[in-house]
Structures are given as C-alpha cells and as structure tokens.
Amino acid sequence: MKYDLVVVGGRVAGSIAAYQAAKNGLQVLLLEGNPEIGTPVQCAGGVSDSFFKSTDIKPLPEFTCTRITAATINGPYGASITTGNPIIRGYIIERKIFDKYLALRAAEAGADVLAGSRVKDLMFHEGSVSGVKFRGPDGTCEVKSGIVIAADGIQSCVGRMAGLNTRFRPGELCSCAQYEVTGFDVDDETMEFYFGSVFAPSGYLWVFPKGDGRANVGVGVRRTRCSDNGPLHYLNRFISRAGCSRLEFNAGAVPVGGPIRKTYTDGLLVVGDAAGQVDPLTGGGIHVAAECATIAADVATDAIESQRTDAAFLSKYEDTWREQIGKNLDRSLKFRKVLESLSDDELDTLIGSFDGKDLNSISKISLLKILRHYPKILKMLKNIL
Ligand SMILES: Cc1cc2nc3c(=O)[nH]c(=O)nc-3n(C[C@H](O)[C@H](O)[C@H](O)COP(=O)(O)OP(=O)(O)OC[C@H]3O[C@@H](n4cnc5c(N)ncnc54)[C@H](O)[C@@H]3O)c2cc1C
C-alpha cells in the first residue's frame, strides 16, 4: 500500500490535516490508535467564535451544547468579576461527537480513515521517513508514504521515532482532571473560572455549562508547583460542595511550556499537542491545532507536488506557523508566568480591582490605569503589553 500522506492521530489536529490534504488532492490515510474516534474524551470543549471564523467548520447543533456569551472569574477569597467581552464568546462542544464529525469530514473529502490502528514504527528510505508500520484490526501492516504527519498528542512517539525531541519536561505540563456532572447550579451561557491555591495551585478550576444543569467541571494544576496533591484532590473538594451527580470522569495533561523546538524533519511534520501547539495561558489547544494542521497539510501538498519531502523544504511549515501564531504563544507564556508569580492575596485584589469596570471593551490604556496600583504586576507586564 502507498499513500502520499499518512496522518497519525485521529482527533482535532490529525482529522483537520487529513481533511485539508485530501481536499488538496492528496491520497491520505488517517490512522487512529483508539478503537473509537473521539473517546476517551480529554477536553472541556471550550471553543471561541474565532475558531469557527478562521476555519470552514460551522458550529453545528449536533456537537454544540451551549452558546457562551460571558465568563465569571473568581479569586481565592471571594473577589469576582463577570465579563461579556467578545473574545470569550463561543461554544461548549461535545468532543466525542465533534472529533467523529471531523474524521467523517476527512473521509468525505477522500481520506481513508482507520480507527483501532496504532502506529508502532516508522519506515525510512535513505534517512528520510518513508512510511509507517501499524497494528490494526487486520494485523500488522506496512504503508509507504511521501510524508507522515505526527498528530499523536501529548505522548507523541512518532516524532521521536524520527529523531525529533517531542518530550515535555514535567514542569511544562498541566495535569488535569474533569467530571461531566449533572444537577449543577450554573448559568447556561456563562463559563466560570476559579483561581488561587485553594482551587488550583498554578492553574485554574473551570465550570463549562453544557445545558440543563450539566457541566464539565475540571481542574488543571502544575504538579511541579503543588505539594502532594494532584488535580483530583482539588476537583473532589469543589464537587463535594456542589452535591451533583457525576456522569463521566476523565484525566489528561496539557503542554503549557510552549512549542517544541523543531517540528519537521525529512519526510515528517509534527502538529497539535504533539508539537506543544497549545495556548500556554488558557491551555486551549483546539484552535491552535486547527491552524497548524491546515498549514501542515498545505505544505505537505506542495512538497508532494514538487517531489521535495526533505527537511529543507518542509521547514516552510515551521516558518509559517511560527510567523502566524508564534508571537501570540510567546505572549501567553509570559502572561502565565506573571499570573503564577502572584500570591493569593495579590490575585484576589487584582480580580477585585476590575469590579465595576467595563470589561467588554477594555483598552490597553484603561488596563494600565487599573494596574498602576500594582507596581509589581506592572513591572512584570511591561514587556508584554
Ligand atoms: C482536561 C482537558 C481539558 C481541555 N479543555 C480544552 C478546552 O476547553 N478547549 C481547548 O481548546 N482545548 C482544551 N484542551 C486541550 C485540547 O484537548 C488539545 O489541545 C487538543 O485535543 C489537541 O488535539 P490533538 O489532535 O493535537 O491531540 P489529541 O487530542 O491528544 O489526539 C491525539 C490522537 O492521537 C492518537 N494516537 C496517539 N499515538 C498514536 C499512534 N501511535 N498511532 C495512532 N494513533 C495514535 C491518540 O489516540 C489520540 O486520539 C484540554 C485538554 C485537557 C487534557
């Protein structure tokens, strides 16, 4: 068997790359290791309007649970603000259904999709990646390909098999635990965030409404920054007060230390969580993965058409995604470091200081006016704002 492109990993990054490449006319094989695409879920499903505006994906009723128009930010000691700023508007999506929808879209564009097929090794020709070996329902198979895209998530092995350093240090990871609950008192249009060491040391706790009292309630913490307790400890403590029923539990990690140093080599590109392409401040990866996957597919198409699958040609992928989103990811990383350096007192006071301000259209100048009372924060932010 031979394909122009094999994509490893059938979730956001992989399915979008496979769709785009198939639409461009490449012969594409999409391999997903899990028996069912979309499960187990490892996501809270928050997606902003800008995701739908920058892709050709529509917010369809089959995978959108709720329309989000506001967010409440809660401090450790009771300070709280609610904003309807346009940048937070979006949807809570059902990832199980969304991921399957994306894979279906790739299949309809012409890609062959194989769930239950885990890549075990790469094949090489003259030092360049030239295919994959995988174990699937039909046993062990070898498939040759012009290019391989590794969209295999945070534990990415495929990039490593090609000699790239895709390993994240423990300090670069945010450990998460989440329940889908029912019977939770939450406004259907408002996401809730809780900050401070009582809720989530060096991270945050989220409540994302899914409609009719259902919600994804989760916690993300940096394990290297909290003592013995992991995210489940903080999550259980919060949930026990709410007295709701738990429909689902999932856990996972998010790379929040910024992208890996190199995302291409001869015959291979790395995208999505596997490349650390996640917003380091929010931990949101869907939007970033979609953008990078589309770039990867377009570069792979150019490479196949011009018969140039060498690293020098494929470096165009990294140049492009760094140019488009590199600065935003860097800024988010700096913001996260500032937030992490604040004590609970400082966090609560800072959140409280925004109370009564019009957060819907806050400008840089008005932000600086508020922050002038916090010289420590201003000093830290001076290179970011
Ligand atoms: C608890 C939690 C909550 C989150 N909430 C949000 C949120 O609200 N909004 C947001 O934007 N982001 C959120 N994220 C981040 C987001 O889920 C990820 O950034 C996004 O799913 C990355 O997509 P991906 O396709 O790169 O990787 P993944 O979703 O990890 O998919 C990788 C796929 O590759 C497959 N795979 C791995 N190895 C192989 C192999 N050898 N062969 C075949 N297949 C393989 C895996 O089975 C998996 O299906 C959250 C993350 C967590 C952990």
Side-chain angles (χ1 to χ4, degrees):
M1 270 197 287
K2 184 161 181 7
Y3 285 85
D4 295 324
L5 173 69
V6 170
V7 181
V8 186
R11 290 209 179 165
V12 180
S15 288
I16 289 179
Y19 164 79
Q20 180 72 13
K23 210 170 66 128
N24 289 345
L26 295 194
Q27 288 200 304
V28 182
L29 174 64
L30 174 63
L31 296 171
E32 167 53 48
N34 286 331
E36 183 180 12
I37 284 177
T39 58
V41 172
Q42 288 177 321
C43 186
V47 187
S48 66
D49 282 351
S50 58
F51 168 79
F52 293 106
K53 282 188 189 136
S54 62
T55 61
D56 56 1
I57 300 165
K58 301 273 168 290
L60 301 176
E62 44 273 41
F63 56 74
T64 49
C65 304
T66 42
R67 173 78 179 132
I68 296 298
T69 57
T72 300
I73 297 164
N74 299 286
Y77 302 133
S80 177
I81 44 165
T82 297
T83 171
N85 191 301
I87 61 162
I88 58 96
R89 287 188 199 151
Y91 296 86
I92 304 303
I93 58 170
E94 189 63 77
R95 274 295 298 265
K96 283 185 209 84
I97 302 174
F98 181 65
D99 287 11
K100 226 178 232 179
Y101 165 79
L102 292 181
L104 185 66
R105 214 174 62 118
E108 284 171 357
D112 288 339
V113 180
L114 271 186
S117 302
R118 187 158 293 276
V119 169
K120 297 286 182 189
D121 213 347
L122 291 175
M123 302 195 295
F124 292 87
H125 178 69
E126 294 177 353
S128 178
V129 174
S130 62
V132 299
K133 295 178 189 173
F134 68 93
R135 181 176 278 280
D138 304 326
T140 303
C141 304
E142 292 189 358
V143 173
K144 287 188 182 155
S145 70
I147 296 187
V148 170
I149 290 184
D152 52 341
I154 194 164
Q155 285 168 342
S156 174
C157 297
V158 173
R160 253 195 320 279
M161 289 170 195
L164 293 174
N165 184 1
T166 58
R167 216 181 283 275
F168 300 102
R169 289 193 302 272
E172 296 172 325
L173 296 174
C174 187
S175 302
C176 305
Q178 176 178 267
Y179 292 117
E180 182 186 341
V181 300
T182 186
F184 198 90
D185 184 17
V186 60
D187 180 82
D188 274 0
E189 292 195 12
T190 308
M191 294 186 289
E192 294 179 8
F193 298 93
Y194 294 80
F195 289 89
S197 60
V198 46
F199 295 114
S202 301
Y204 64 85
L205 183 152
W206 64 85
V207 179
F208 286 3
K210 296 179 89 174
D212 300 326
R214 274 194 313 138
N216 285 335
V217 183
V219 173
V221 297
R222 302 271 303 291
R223 286 305 293 270
T224 46
R225 285 174 160 253
C226 40
S227 47
D228 295 337
N229 297 320
L232 194 54
H233 165 83
Y234 297 95
L235 179 59
N236 283 341
R237 199 162 66 180
F238 184 80
I239 280 292
S240 65
R241 289 187 219 144
C244 47
S245 293
R246 304 166 199 186
L247 305 177
E248 187 175 322
F249 170 72
N250 45 65
V254 185
V256 291
I260 59 173
R261 279 192 52 226
K262 194 172 171 223
T263 55
Y264 64 93
T265 186
D266 294 297
L268 181 129
L269 303 170
V270 189
V271 297
D273 273 19
Q277 290 163 335
V278 170
D279 184 315
L281 179 64
T282 63
I286 297 173
H287 191 165
V288 191
E291 200 164 336
C292 295
T294 306
I295 298 168
D298 287 342
V299 171
T301 307
D302 286 350
I304 294 293
E305 282 170 357
S306 45
Q307 300 186 349
R308 284 282 314 273
T309 58
D310 53 285
F313 191 94
L314 295 182
S315 65
K316 200 166 127 196
Y317 160 61
E318 180 151 327
D319 293 345
T320 311
W321 75 255
R322 283 200 193 275
E323 193 185 310
Q324 287 187 14
I325 58 162
K327 274 201 187 120
N328 287 347
L329 297 185
D330 282 353
R331 196 177 314 125
S332 280
L333 185 59
K334 286 179 187 155
F335 268 122
R336 201 205 72 213
K337 287 183 177 163
V338 170
L339 265 188
E340 278 181 3
S341 72
L342 300 181
S343 67
D344 278 356
D345 273 337
E346 288 168 329
L347 255 178
D348 208 68
T349 320
L350 179 65
I351 292 169
S353 69
F354 286 93
D355 196 14
K357 308 279 185 309
D358 179 12
L359 294 173
N360 295 351
S361 54
I362 200 156
S363 67
K364 208 182 266 187
I365 305 241
S366 44
L367 184 61
L368 288 172
K369 271 190 192 156
I370 295 168
L371 292 177
R372 73 182 188 280
H373 303 298
Y374 307 96
K376 175 182 161 190
I377 301 170
L378 251 189
K379 197 173 156 207
M380 289 189 284
L381 287 177
K382 80 174 187 302
N383 296 326
I384 311 175
L385 289 172

